[in-house]
Amino acid sequence: MLRIHLRGLILAGGFATRLRPLSCSKPKLLFPIVGMPLVESMARWLSSGGINQIILAVNHLSDKLKIEVGHHVAGVPVKFSVEETPLGTAGPIRLAANLLGRDDPFFVANGDIVSDIEIRHMLAVHEETNAEATIALVSVPDPSPYGSVLTDPNGKVKKFEEKSAVLSATSHVNAGVYVLSPGVIDSIPGGRSVSLEKEVFPKLVRNGRMQSWMHKGFWYDIGRVSEYVRANHELLEKQELKAAKPVASEDGGEILRPSYLGTRTHIGVGAKVGPLAILSDNVSVGDEAIVRNSIIFEETSIGEKATVEGSIIGERVVIGKRSRIGNGSIIAGQLTLPEGSILSPNSLILC
Ligand code: GDD
Ligand code: MG
């Protein structure tokens, strides 16, 4: 069926505690995924599936996100639905009822998903099975950090348990992407925080109204640092396979593939960048500096002869000349490390 309105609500009101200290100064939706802010990557994906209105469900601390996003992302109109107090994963859906409308099914996605889940296919399954909710599933090696799902052979959900030891025997987990019929909004209690996973889904399952759809493509929940890094590395390698031209430094440094250089990056003479160096826009790498296996957020500068290995450096950081950043370190955004700083492996430099 051709729909005029296909709306997608992104849950973006959490506090991203598992991404600290990087999330102190940057909302999760603005984290770069191979140089592209997550919100843009999600908007491109949703719009490729026909979604033509995005609603960002945020908390009252999200000024930065509002300023960055404005009224459109990747050509898709965006509206904000702002909570005064955190309403969980279901409460924001009820709060945004007027923006979601009463006529059509709509999509809901957790605000930390990078995937190519086929929106149109999911919607078709939702309509064919007359479900109230259709949930995308993915298969993962360790289901324990996710919502585990048991289905019957037709894909009808028989059991949903959030982060459960009991159901963890199944490798099929909630991908954090759903199609919901407008009736679901009425089943969400108002005025308090409500969990989709713990309150709304189990009820839909009991009523036999929850369908699943198995996703076979790529999927990451970047809400944990290890998964954030994995998403960047794997997507970088995927992009490199398709890349029309090799990454090149016009400034005299050496770039080892796979690597990604954003726009207006500067690589100094004799610098060595890569493999697995992901530099967002406006990053500068000083003469003879070394950056490998690291993710560098935008506008950060790495001083002459500094070495950064296996690390994540936040936005607008200044790393002084001849500093050494040991493997596994994370440096919060907007900090300055003086010349000659030595960070032992796995250092966390907080905001
Ligand atoms: N607006 C709003 N308000 N959003 C919220 C709130 C809130 O009070 N609390 C959390 N969120 C958002 C988060 O920002 C995130 O985008 C999404 O809801 C899910 O929260 P996470 O904290 O990332 O949950 P999770 O990763 O532990 O588990 C969820 O995602 C897994 C898949 O990635 C669950 O849905 C699991 O069942 C699922 O498997
Ligand atoms: Mg998550």
Side-chain angles (χ1 to χ4, degrees):
M1 190 196 303
L2 185 67
R3 295 192 177 278
I4 300 172
H5 297 295
L6 190 52
R7 299 176 176 97
L9 179 143
I10 298 179
L11 289 163
F15 294 98
T17 46
R18 289 166 294 187
L19 289 174
R20 280 185 191 153
L22 296 160
S23 55
C24 299
S25 55
K26 191 181 260 307
K28 191 155 64 168
L29 271 180
L30 296 180
F31 271 49
I33 309 294
V34 195
M36 180 186 288
L38 172 61
V39 68
E40 188 178 337
S41 135
M42 289 191 77
R44 286 182 181 207
W45 155 57
L46 293 172
S47 119
S48 73
I51 285 175
N52 51 18
Q53 173 71 65
I54 287 176
I55 295 147
L56 287 181
V58 297
N59 63 45
H60 65 288
L61 297 171
S62 47
D63 291 352
K64 234 177 220 158
L65 189 62
K66 278 187 167 165
I67 292 165
E68 284 287 321
V69 167
H71 300 292
H72 288 86
V73 189
V76 189
V78 173
K79 287 181 182 159
F80 282 83
S81 174
V82 184
E83 292 150 54
E84 284 309 313
T85 56
L87 293 177
T89 45
I93 300 171
R94 183 178 162 135
L95 186 73
N98 289 340
L99 300 175
L100 293 166
R102 291 270 157 199
D103 301 325
D104 301 298
F106 53 87
F107 275 79
V108 172
N110 287 344
D112 50 15
I113 302 300
V114 183
S115 183
D116 58 353
I117 287 172
E118 291 167 70
I119 300 289
R120 286 193 177 89
H121 202 165
M122 248 183 108
L123 185 60
V125 169
H126 183 77
E127 290 177 331
E128 277 159 22
T129 55
N130 196 26
E132 279 281 287
T134 299
I135 178 173
L137 302 183
V138 283
S139 185
V140 293
D142 173 17
S144 57
Y146 303 110
S148 296
V149 181
L150 278 184
T151 63
D152 74 8
N154 299 320
K156 187 184 262 195
V157 178
K158 289 291 166 199
K159 212 160 180 138
F160 183 102
E161 272 183 20
E162 185 62 8
K163 300 177 181 119
S164 126
V166 184
L167 273 193
S168 285
T170 167
S171 65
H172 293 177
V173 300
N174 170 18
V177 179
Y178 327 105
V179 192
L180 302 181
S181 290
V184 173
I185 298 176
D186 302 321
S187 71
I188 302 171
R192 67 171 172 90
S193 169
V194 184
S195 163
L196 261 183
E197 298 86 345
K198 292 185 181 150
E199 297 183 56
V200 179
F201 291 162
K203 208 157 143 196
L204 285 166
V205 172
R206 278 198 298 278
N207 296 340
R209 300 303 302 277
M210 192 157 178
Q211 185 63 32
S212 68
W213 183 79
M214 193 70 207
H215 173 59
K216 298 279 200 276
F218 67 83
W219 179 83
Y220 306 94
D221 169 348
I222 61 105
R224 282 179 293 148
V225 171
S226 56
E227 286 300 288
Y228 173 68
V229 171
R230 191 169 74 89
N232 273 278
H233 286 177
E234 291 185 6
L235 293 171
L236 170 68
E237 287 182 3
K238 234 172 141 78
Q239 281 185 17
E240 285 248 328
L241 286 176
K242 292 191 294 192
K245 47 182 184 170
V247 177
S249 161
E250 286 157 17
D251 310 319
E254 183 188 357
I255 315 285
L256 299 173
R257 300 181 72 167
S259 284
Y260 171 86
L261 305 191
T263 57
R264 297 177 298 278
T265 43
H266 169 79
I267 310 296
V269 176
K272 285 199 168 76
V273 171
L276 288 174
I278 302 181
L279 276 44
S280 288
D281 296 348
N282 293 309
V283 164
S284 101
V285 178
D287 293 351
E288 295 176 49
I290 296 173
V291 181
R292 47 171 103 91
N293 189 19
S294 294
I295 302 172
I296 318 291
F297 288 18
E298 72 278 3
E299 290 174 44
T300 279
S301 97
I302 294 161
E304 274 173 43
K305 299 188 175 162
T307 302
V308 177
E309 266 189 281
S311 297
I312 312 178
I313 318 286
E315 77 286 357
R316 288 165 46 207
V317 170
V318 177
I319 294 183
K321 295 176 188 174
R322 285 182 287 279
S323 295
R324 288 183 178 276
I325 314 298
N327 231 330
S329 297
I330 302 180
I331 301 180
Q334 303 172 25
L335 295 180
T336 296
L337 262 62
E339 220 178 297
S341 301
I342 307 286
L343 300 192
S344 47
N346 303 315
S347 298
L348 280 186
I349 306 296
L350 307 179
C351 29

